[in-house]
Amino acid sequence: MIKLLTIIGARPQIIKAAAISRAIKNHFSDRIEEKILHTGQHYDDNMSKVFFDELGIPAPDYNLGVGSGKHGEQTAKIIVGVEEVLLSEHFDGVIVYGDTNSTLAAAVAASKLHIPLFHIEAGLRSFNMTMPEEINRIVCDQLSSILFAPTETAIDNLRKEGFMTSPAKFAGGKGRLVVNSGDVMYDNSMYFAAIAEEKSSILKENNLRAGKYILTTIHRPANTDSPERLTSIIAALISIAEANGEGLVFPLHPRTRNLLAKNLRPDVYEKLNSSPKVKILPPASFFDIIVLEKNAHIIMTDSGGVQKESFFFERPCVILRGETEWVEIVTHGAGIIADADGDTIKEAYNKLSGQSVSFPRLFGDGNAATKILDTILEYLA
Ligand code: UD1
């Protein structure tokens, strides 16, 4: 029996971890014992607990309760907390997800203790070094024993950075593995799509008609922290909704909620709160967001996860950033990078509204979690 520690902290990681926990329960329970450590980076119930409940993930064995803070402060607290846990109990390996401060901190703590580190969602790059996530993912990839890349693009990035020929040796003289595992988020979206349709009443509760609304999410610091960008994006979204008779459905991340009044130009703030087309919602549960995504006419977002889910559910997507890690969405014409420019956002909406788009299978076959666990077992054997 091998013992793995899954380390999560932010909302999307809880969702990704569900795919691994489910695969362990269904296929590996005689060979793998999993414990879960929650860093507490996200702590509001609707950013954390609701996902454990809905997705059937066991409650965390450890919760560091670090909460919000400056990057250095938050990251440092997690390093200290994870190190303590790793010294108090033996683990054969640590699994981390994505690119948050929790990922970076867990990677530093585990690798310094020579515990094999498995990075799920390795190899993604925006090449924008001002994004905290870019820094986190680059460092985490360097420290990982196995890099589980979700796409061929991610594999290519790692190849260009020399990972395939890296002479790095880890504990026991073991080398590094790079594997195209497919995307655990695709596993989840496929697994939960039908269940979500049955369980969620979000459309009914909000009087939403399928195909008749735009779904938007905005939470990246580059957008929320800049009055110009936030104002430009939100003004464009409201004007598109009003001009086209569409609803604008906007589940609000707490970071965004806290900054709207401060950073939006007053007339746009007023419009956001008074337009009959705008529906502001609290952060959505996973089932609710799946249903909102599947039934949207179009999705406009700065979230990586929501970009991908729009592709999984075959909805076109306007990307409210200057670049994306999920470039295949753009090369296949299913998404357009519009950044924060109002006119470009409107053009992207018009273009994607009026054309039929192809959605090939680029994110694996829905069994990424099983492939990941098989690879880990082989590596640790
Ligand atoms: C983090 C990740 C980002 C990921 C996102 C998903 C980093 C650097 N960023 O960004 O990659 O896409 O999570 O949501 O790790 N807050 C609450 N309640 C919560 C959580 C946050 O009120 O439960 C508020 C706090 O005001 C906090 C702010 O949101 O200061 C930002 O939270 P933080 O975890 O620092 O980063 P995110 O923006 O959520």
Side-chain angles (χ1 to χ4, degrees), residues 5 7-8 36-40 61-66 73-89 91 94 102 105-110 113:
L5 182 65
I7 300 185
I8 54 187
I36 296 178
L37 181 153
H38 192 329
T39 65
D61 300 275
Y62 297 98
N63 194 325
L64 304 181
V66 297
E73 182 189 2
Q74 190 182 50
T75 307
K77 278 190 192 160
I78 301 171
I79 294 178
V80 172
V82 169
E83 183 178 65
E84 220 163 89
V85 169
L86 293 176
L87 288 171
S88 72
E89 186 174 347
F91 289 98
V94 166
S102 294
V108 171
L113 292 170

Side-chain angles (χ1 to χ4, degrees), residues 9 16 26 76 93 131 160 173 187-188 198 268 280 295 303 306 327:
K16 288 163 200 164
N26 292 341
M131 267 183 94
K160 286 181 193 137
D187 294 18
N188 271 337
E198 192 191 310
V268 177
I280 291 183
N295 292 287
S303 151
V306 176
V327 287

Side-chain angles (χ1 to χ4, degrees), residues 47 71 76 122 140 187 193 211 234 268 271 283 287 307 309 322 365 381:
M47 294 293 285
H71 283 271
C140 183
D187 294 18
I234 291 186
V268 177
K271 193 111 203 231
F287 291 172
Q307 275 172 52
E309 284 159 357
D365 59 3

Side-chain angles (χ1 to χ4, degrees), residues 3-119:
K3 203 157 98 182
L4 298 177
L5 182 65
T6 288
I7 300 185
I8 54 187
R11 174 170 65 176
Q13 295 167 327
I14 303 169
I15 298 169
K16 288 163 200 164
I20 293 290
S21 289
R22 187 170 65 247
I24 291 177
K25 193 166 120 212
N26 292 341
H27 307 296
F28 296 88
S29 57
D30 55 335
R31 284 166 289 163
I32 300 177
E33 180 192 351
E34 182 193 32
K35 287 206 170 178
I36 296 178
L37 181 153
H38 192 329
T39 65
Q41 176 171 349
H42 284 175
Y43 44 87
D44 285 357
D45 279 358
N46 59 17
M47 294 293 285
S48 176
K49 186 171 177 301
V50 62
F51 297 95
F52 281 87
D53 297 346
E54 232 177 32
L55 307 183
I57 313 170
D61 300 275
Y62 297 98
N63 194 325
L64 304 181
V66 297
S68 306
K70 295 192 285 292
H71 283 271
E73 182 189 2
Q74 190 182 50
T75 307
K77 278 190 192 160
I78 301 171
I79 294 178
V80 172
V82 169
E83 183 178 65
E84 220 163 89
V85 169
L86 293 176
L87 288 171
S88 72
E89 186 174 347
H90 170 81
F91 289 98
D92 299 293
V94 166
I95 301 183
V96 293
Y97 300 83
D99 54 22
T100 71
N101 291 342
S102 294
T103 314
L104 169 68
V108 171
S111 59
K112 291 264 179 136
L113 292 170
H114 314 155
I115 301 171
L117 179 70
F118 308 127
H119 186 201

Side-chain angles (χ1 to χ4, degrees), residues 192-201 287 291:
F192 286 114
I195 305 174
E197 288 276 12
E198 192 191 310
K199 298 258 164 99
S200 166
S201 50
F287 291 172
V291 169

